Amino acid sequence: MADARDDGYGSGSTARTDEGSGSTARTDEGSGSTARTGEGPRGFLGEVRDAVTTRSALVMLGVLLLQLGFALSYMGAFHAPEPHKVPITLVAPPAVERDLVARLDALPGDPLQVTPVADRAEARERLLDRRTDAALVVDPARRTDTLLVASAGGPSATTAATEILQEVARAQNRTIVVRDLRAPSAGDSRGLSSFYLVLSWTIGGYLAASALNMAAGSKKPTLRRTLVRLAAMLPYGFVSGIGGALIVGPVLDCLPGAFWELVGIGTLVVFASGAVGVALQSVAGTVGLGLTILIFTILGNPSSGGVYPSSLLPPFWAAIGQALPPGAGTTVVRNTVYFDGNATTGALWILGAWAFGGVVVAILAAALREGQKRRGPRTDTAAAVSV
């Protein structure tokens, strides 16, 4: 066997000839890799096959579907908001009330849902209890009526109700004076801080669950590891709650007051999101992350009522909004900060149900997997003994 070695002018590579076969193996001077005789260049299609496996192609398809779903859901919900049964309260003398209720109920498209009450005090109470979005107080002795609103509960609904009622008043040669009983804080001028705060909490929750899953190699967890992951979401949720409350409170002054209430709400929202993330990834692996994004971000955020309330959303989004954590969380934060916690009980139950459901599904999925693994070896042993 003959060797040809570097004479000082080459790159230090070695060419060696196999005397028996006459074949030659060369060392790639640039990369140090070895190409054997008989192996031609892999070609572009070979590189593509190695780089884009069937699994990675399916993952990309899933990402594409999420991307298109995001566009469809957000633009479907927001592209043409139309008021439908916006709840308003009416205070008027009996002689005027029946005719005005009939006129408002007959508006095309059913934009308003009118509830007559006895007096201004009751109308104010309904407004601050979040049972109505506006209250029209009619003064038959004058040509000016008063519209009570609480725009902190959602400027979009307030604006829609105001515009509709002003148009009706103009048709009767009357005017309306608007009084805002509960406006957003100066740092929350458009009333969207509650929505964005809950958005950050929900995304943080399921991303934390995903990080725990990826750190373990995206393997479906054992029962013990599932319990550890769920337990880890509690302190993470608490720290997230404190961080969010600090940002919207002392740092930016968006939602002043109710600091510890916001910490508690944030802990619950993050834990619910994280528990659902742990559960879905325990059941479906990497696909579970996509399902979590679908529930919380693609469906939950545009339907939450943060930008437009349910009375301005298309039927599908209006129906699901308050049943999903982003909608329930936004309602709890907004009503806690601005309305002394009124009308939050149902939303808190929704958040608790999602958190509890996530814990139960995650534990059951891990327990069933471990049960199957234990039965597998016993079945194999029994088969071997019978043979």
Side-chain angles (χ1 to χ4, degrees), residues 60-342:
M60 291 177 67
L61 176 61
V63 172
L64 175 62
L65 293 176
L66 288 176
Q67 170 191 320
L68 296 177
F70 186 95
L72 174 62
S73 184
Y74 276 73
M75 287 184 273
F78 298 154
H79 78 288
E82 289 289 339
H84 181 70
K85 294 188 179 298
V86 177
I88 71 165
T89 298
L90 175 65
V91 180
V96 177
E97 178 186 293
R98 181 178 301 177
D99 179 65
L100 186 53
V101 169
R103 184 179 292 108
L104 294 176
D105 285 343
L107 292 174
D110 292 328
L112 303 177
Q113 184 174 9
V114 184
T115 301
V117 297
D119 53 35
R120 185 183 182 119
E122 185 178 355
R124 177 189 174 91
E125 180 182 353
R126 287 177 57 86
L127 183 64
L128 298 181
D129 285 349
R130 304 312 301 137
R131 289 178 287 164
T132 190
D133 286 332
L136 178 62
V137 182
V138 177
D139 184 357
R142 304 172 55 196
R143 303 207 60 82
T144 300
D145 302 322
T146 302
L147 182 65
L148 306 178
V149 299
S151 59
S156 299
T158 298
T159 301
T162 301
E163 291 176 351
I164 294 169
L165 291 172
Q166 285 179 335
E167 184 176 346
V168 172
R170 281 193 297 269
Q172 296 178 312
N173 295 320
R174 301 181 67 86
T175 59
I176 287 181
V177 175
V178 179
R179 289 194 56 201
D180 197 343
L181 302 184
R182 197 64 53 86
S185 66
D188 185 28
S189 59
R190 295 186 59 82
L192 295 176
S193 297
S194 302
F195 166 67
Y196 286 118
L197 177 61
V198 173
L199 173 64
S200 70
W201 281 336
T202 55
I203 292 177
Y206 69 68
L207 286 184
S210 179
L212 290 173
N213 188 55
M214 289 188 294
S218 298
K219 297 178 180 178
K220 293 183 178 180
T222 62
L223 178 58
R224 179 177 297 179
R225 181 160 293 181
T226 296
L227 294 173
V228 170
R229 291 181 183 181
L230 291 171
M233 294 309 303
L234 279 172
Y236 177 82
F238 182 66
V239 173
S240 298
I242 291 177
L246 284 172
I247 290 172
V248 299
V251 176
L252 298 179
D253 200 33
C254 300
L255 302 173
F259 178 85
W260 288 109
E261 291 89 339
L262 289 178
V263 171
I265 296 167
T267 303
L268 177 57
V269 170
V270 173
F271 182 79
S273 175
V276 172
V278 170
L280 291 179
Q281 291 176 67
S282 179
V283 171
T286 304
V287 176
L289 174 60
L291 294 175
T292 310
I293 294 173
L294 174 67
I295 294 170
F296 285 90
T297 303
I298 294 178
L299 295 177
N301 286 338
S303 64
S304 67
V307 178
Y308 292 121
S310 59
S311 55
L312 270 70
L313 292 174
F316 173 75
W317 288 268
I320 67 173
Q322 291 304 304
L324 298 177
T330 299
T331 296
V332 173
V333 169
R334 184 177 278 165
N335 290 359
T336 297
V337 172
Y338 290 118
F339 300 100
D340 302 319
N342 291 325

